[in-house]
Short mmCIF file of all heavy atoms in Angstrom, two decimals:
data_model
loop_
_atom_site.label_atom_id
_atom_site.label_comp_id
_atom_site.label_asym_id
_atom_site.label_seq_id
_atom_site.Cartn_x
_atom_site.Cartn_y
_atom_site.Cartn_z
N ALA A 65 210.99 110.82 74.53
CA ALA A 65 210.13 110.36 73.43
C ALA A 65 209.28 111.51 72.95
O ALA A 65 209.24 111.80 71.78
CB ALA A 65 209.27 109.21 73.85
N LYS A 66 208.53 112.19 73.83
CA LYS A 66 207.67 113.30 73.47
C LYS A 66 207.80 114.39 74.53
O LYS A 66 207.85 114.10 75.69
CB LYS A 66 206.21 112.81 73.47
CG LYS A 66 205.89 111.81 72.37
CD LYS A 66 204.42 111.46 72.40
CE LYS A 66 204.04 110.48 71.36
NZ LYS A 66 202.59 110.11 71.42
N PRO A 67 207.87 115.64 74.08
CA PRO A 67 207.87 116.70 75.07
C PRO A 67 206.52 116.70 75.80
O PRO A 67 205.45 116.56 75.22
CB PRO A 67 208.00 117.96 74.21
CG PRO A 67 208.57 117.49 72.96
CD PRO A 67 208.02 116.11 72.73
N GLU A 68 206.58 116.83 77.07
CA GLU A 68 205.38 116.89 77.93
C GLU A 68 205.41 118.15 78.75
O GLU A 68 206.40 118.46 79.40
CB GLU A 68 205.31 115.66 78.83
CG GLU A 68 205.18 114.31 78.05
CD GLU A 68 205.13 113.19 79.03
OE1 GLU A 68 205.16 113.43 80.23
OE2 GLU A 68 205.15 112.08 78.56
N GLU A 69 204.32 118.87 78.77
CA GLU A 69 204.21 120.09 79.59
C GLU A 69 204.01 119.65 81.06
O GLU A 69 203.20 118.75 81.38
CB GLU A 69 203.01 120.96 79.11
CG GLU A 69 203.23 121.52 77.79
CD GLU A 69 204.37 122.49 77.74
OE1 GLU A 69 204.66 123.15 78.75
OE2 GLU A 69 205.12 122.55 76.70
N THR A 70 204.72 120.30 81.94
CA THR A 70 204.63 119.99 83.35
C THR A 70 203.61 120.95 83.97
O THR A 70 203.68 122.15 83.79
CB THR A 70 205.99 120.15 84.07
OG1 THR A 70 206.91 119.27 83.42
CG2 THR A 70 205.91 119.87 85.51
N ASP A 71 202.71 120.37 84.78
CA ASP A 71 201.75 121.18 85.45
C ASP A 71 202.40 121.93 86.61
O ASP A 71 202.90 121.32 87.58
CB ASP A 71 200.66 120.29 86.02
CG ASP A 71 199.50 121.06 86.68
OD1 ASP A 71 199.65 122.32 86.77
OD2 ASP A 71 198.52 120.46 87.12
N SER A 72 202.55 123.26 86.49
CA SER A 72 203.28 124.02 87.44
C SER A 72 202.67 124.02 88.82
O SER A 72 203.34 124.22 89.81
CB SER A 72 203.39 125.50 86.96
OG SER A 72 202.12 126.05 86.82
N SER A 73 201.34 123.63 88.84
CA SER A 73 200.67 123.62 90.13
C SER A 73 201.14 122.45 91.03
O SER A 73 200.96 122.41 92.21
CB SER A 73 199.14 123.50 89.95
OG SER A 73 198.84 122.22 89.31
N GLU A 74 201.76 121.45 90.35
CA GLU A 74 202.22 120.26 91.12
C GLU A 74 203.63 120.44 91.71
O GLU A 74 204.04 119.70 92.53
CB GLU A 74 202.25 119.06 90.13
CG GLU A 74 200.89 118.64 89.67
CD GLU A 74 200.95 117.45 88.78
OE1 GLU A 74 202.07 116.94 88.50
OE2 GLU A 74 199.89 117.00 88.32
N ALA A 75 204.32 121.52 91.22
CA ALA A 75 205.70 121.77 91.71
C ALA A 75 205.70 122.95 92.63
O ALA A 75 205.76 124.11 92.22
CB ALA A 75 206.64 122.04 90.52
N GLU A 76 205.48 122.72 93.91
CA GLU A 76 205.39 123.76 94.91
C GLU A 76 206.80 124.07 95.47
O GLU A 76 207.60 123.16 95.63
CB GLU A 76 204.48 123.33 96.06
CG GLU A 76 203.03 123.06 95.60
CD GLU A 76 202.24 122.54 96.80
OE1 GLU A 76 202.78 122.44 97.91
OE2 GLU A 76 201.03 122.37 96.54
N PRO A 77 207.09 125.34 95.73
CA PRO A 77 208.37 125.68 96.31
C PRO A 77 208.60 124.96 97.61
O PRO A 77 207.69 124.82 98.37
CB PRO A 77 208.24 127.21 96.52
CG PRO A 77 207.15 127.67 95.58
CD PRO A 77 206.20 126.52 95.48
N GLU A 78 209.84 124.52 97.77
CA GLU A 78 210.11 123.74 98.99
C GLU A 78 211.43 124.16 99.48
O GLU A 78 212.36 124.44 98.72
CB GLU A 78 210.03 122.30 98.67
CG GLU A 78 210.12 121.37 99.88
CD GLU A 78 209.85 119.94 99.51
OE1 GLU A 78 209.24 119.69 98.49
OE2 GLU A 78 210.27 119.04 100.28
N SER A 79 211.65 124.17 100.77
CA SER A 79 212.91 124.44 101.38
C SER A 79 213.87 123.35 101.16
O SER A 79 213.53 122.23 100.74
CB SER A 79 212.74 124.73 102.89
OG SER A 79 212.20 123.62 103.52
N SER A 80 215.14 123.63 101.45
CA SER A 80 216.23 122.60 101.23
C SER A 80 215.93 121.33 101.97
O SER A 80 215.64 121.36 103.14
CB SER A 80 217.56 123.25 101.66
OG SER A 80 218.56 122.28 101.57
N VAL A 81 216.09 120.26 101.27
CA VAL A 81 215.89 118.92 101.88
C VAL A 81 217.18 118.14 101.76
O VAL A 81 217.70 117.96 100.63
CB VAL A 81 214.76 118.15 101.19
CG1 VAL A 81 214.64 116.77 101.77
CG2 VAL A 81 213.44 118.90 101.33
N THR A 82 217.75 117.68 102.81
CA THR A 82 219.02 116.96 102.85
C THR A 82 218.76 115.51 103.06
O THR A 82 218.14 115.13 104.09
CB THR A 82 219.95 117.52 103.91
OG1 THR A 82 220.15 118.89 103.62
CG2 THR A 82 221.29 116.79 103.86
N GLU A 83 219.29 114.61 102.19
CA GLU A 83 219.24 113.20 102.41
C GLU A 83 220.46 112.81 103.26
O GLU A 83 221.59 113.08 102.83
CB GLU A 83 219.28 112.50 101.06
CG GLU A 83 218.10 112.74 100.17
CD GLU A 83 216.81 112.10 100.70
OE1 GLU A 83 216.92 111.21 101.55
OE2 GLU A 83 215.72 112.50 100.30
N GLU A 84 220.20 112.21 104.42
CA GLU A 84 221.30 111.82 105.29
C GLU A 84 222.08 110.68 104.64
O GLU A 84 221.57 109.70 104.13
CB GLU A 84 220.72 111.40 106.61
CG GLU A 84 220.11 112.51 107.38
CD GLU A 84 221.06 113.57 107.83
OE1 GLU A 84 222.27 113.25 107.94
OE2 GLU A 84 220.61 114.74 108.06
N THR A 85 223.41 110.80 104.76
CA THR A 85 224.27 109.71 104.30
C THR A 85 224.26 108.57 105.34
O THR A 85 224.55 108.79 106.47
CB THR A 85 225.76 110.19 104.08
OG1 THR A 85 225.68 111.32 103.14
CG2 THR A 85 226.60 109.14 103.56
N SER A 86 223.99 107.40 104.89
CA SER A 86 223.97 106.24 105.77
C SER A 86 225.42 105.88 106.10
O SER A 86 226.32 105.86 105.25
CB SER A 86 223.31 105.03 105.11
OG SER A 86 223.43 103.90 105.90
N SER A 87 225.67 105.56 107.36
CA SER A 87 227.03 105.15 107.80
C SER A 87 227.28 103.72 107.44
O SER A 87 228.41 103.26 107.52
CB SER A 87 227.15 105.32 109.33
OG SER A 87 226.15 104.54 110.00
N ASN A 88 226.26 102.98 106.98
CA ASN A 88 226.42 101.60 106.63
C ASN A 88 226.31 101.38 105.14
O ASN A 88 225.58 102.16 104.44
CB ASN A 88 225.39 100.76 107.31
CG ASN A 88 225.51 100.78 108.84
OD1 ASN A 88 226.60 100.78 109.38
ND2 ASN A 88 224.39 100.87 109.53
N ALA A 89 226.99 100.42 104.62
CA ALA A 89 226.95 100.13 103.18
C ALA A 89 225.61 99.43 102.93
O ALA A 89 224.96 98.92 103.81
CB ALA A 89 228.06 99.17 102.79
N PRO A 90 225.13 99.48 101.63
CA PRO A 90 223.91 98.80 101.32
C PRO A 90 223.93 97.35 101.68
O PRO A 90 224.98 96.70 101.52
CB PRO A 90 223.84 98.98 99.78
CG PRO A 90 224.59 100.22 99.49
CD PRO A 90 225.72 100.15 100.48
N ASP A 91 222.84 96.84 102.24
CA ASP A 91 222.86 95.42 102.62
C ASP A 91 222.61 94.51 101.43
O ASP A 91 221.60 94.51 100.80
CB ASP A 91 221.69 95.22 103.65
CG ASP A 91 221.58 93.80 104.13
OD1 ASP A 91 222.53 93.01 103.83
OD2 ASP A 91 220.63 93.46 104.83
N ILE A 92 223.71 93.83 101.04
CA ILE A 92 223.58 92.94 99.88
C ILE A 92 223.87 91.50 100.31
O ILE A 92 224.36 90.67 99.55
CB ILE A 92 224.61 93.36 98.77
CG1 ILE A 92 226.04 93.43 99.31
CG2 ILE A 92 224.20 94.66 98.17
CD1 ILE A 92 227.05 93.74 98.27
N SER A 93 223.55 91.18 101.59
CA SER A 93 223.81 89.86 102.10
C SER A 93 223.02 88.84 101.37
O SER A 93 223.41 87.63 101.28
CB SER A 93 223.44 89.83 103.62
OG SER A 93 222.12 90.22 103.83
N ASP A 94 221.88 89.22 100.81
CA ASP A 94 221.07 88.25 100.06
C ASP A 94 221.46 88.22 98.60
O ASP A 94 220.80 87.54 97.76
CB ASP A 94 219.56 88.60 100.18
CG ASP A 94 219.27 90.01 99.68
OD1 ASP A 94 220.23 90.71 99.26
OD2 ASP A 94 218.09 90.36 99.64
N GLY A 95 222.54 88.90 98.23
CA GLY A 95 223.04 88.90 96.85
C GLY A 95 222.40 89.90 95.96
O GLY A 95 222.82 90.03 94.81
N GLU A 96 221.41 90.67 96.50
CA GLU A 96 220.71 91.58 95.65
C GLU A 96 220.97 92.99 96.24
O GLU A 96 220.69 93.29 97.38
CB GLU A 96 219.19 91.31 95.64
CG GLU A 96 218.37 92.23 94.77
CD GLU A 96 218.54 91.96 93.31
OE1 GLU A 96 219.13 90.89 92.96
OE2 GLU A 96 218.08 92.79 92.46
N HIS A 97 221.47 93.93 95.37
CA HIS A 97 221.67 95.29 95.79
C HIS A 97 220.35 95.96 96.03
O HIS A 97 219.36 95.77 95.22
CB HIS A 97 222.49 96.04 94.75
CG HIS A 97 223.03 97.35 95.19
ND1 HIS A 97 222.24 98.45 95.34
CD2 HIS A 97 224.32 97.71 95.57
CE1 HIS A 97 223.00 99.49 95.77
NE2 HIS A 97 224.22 99.02 95.91
N PRO A 98 220.16 96.76 97.06
CA PRO A 98 218.85 97.39 97.40
C PRO A 98 218.39 98.34 96.30
O PRO A 98 217.18 98.62 96.24
CB PRO A 98 219.10 98.09 98.68
CG PRO A 98 220.59 98.27 98.77
CD PRO A 98 221.18 97.07 98.09
N TYR A 99 219.24 98.81 95.44
CA TYR A 99 218.84 99.70 94.39
C TYR A 99 219.07 99.07 93.01
O TYR A 99 219.13 99.76 92.03
CB TYR A 99 219.59 101.05 94.50
CG TYR A 99 219.21 101.79 95.73
CD1 TYR A 99 220.02 101.83 96.84
CD2 TYR A 99 217.93 102.43 95.81
CE1 TYR A 99 219.61 102.46 98.00
CE2 TYR A 99 217.55 103.10 96.99
CZ TYR A 99 218.39 103.11 98.03
OH TYR A 99 218.05 103.77 99.20
N ALA A 100 219.07 97.73 92.99
CA ALA A 100 219.17 97.07 91.68
C ALA A 100 217.92 97.32 90.83
O ALA A 100 217.96 97.40 89.66
CB ALA A 100 219.32 95.60 91.87
#
Side-chain angles (χ1 to χ4, degrees):
K66 293 181 181 179
E68 296 178 4
E69 292 297 326
T70 301
D71 185 355
S72 60
S73 64
E74 295 180 358
E76 299 178 358
E78 190 171 337
S79 59
S80 174
V81 177
T82 302
E83 295 290 342
E84 295 292 337
T85 302
S86 172
S87 60
N88 297 319
D91 181 9
I92 56 175
S93 57
D94 59 356
E96 183 74 12
H97 194 283
Y99 293 103

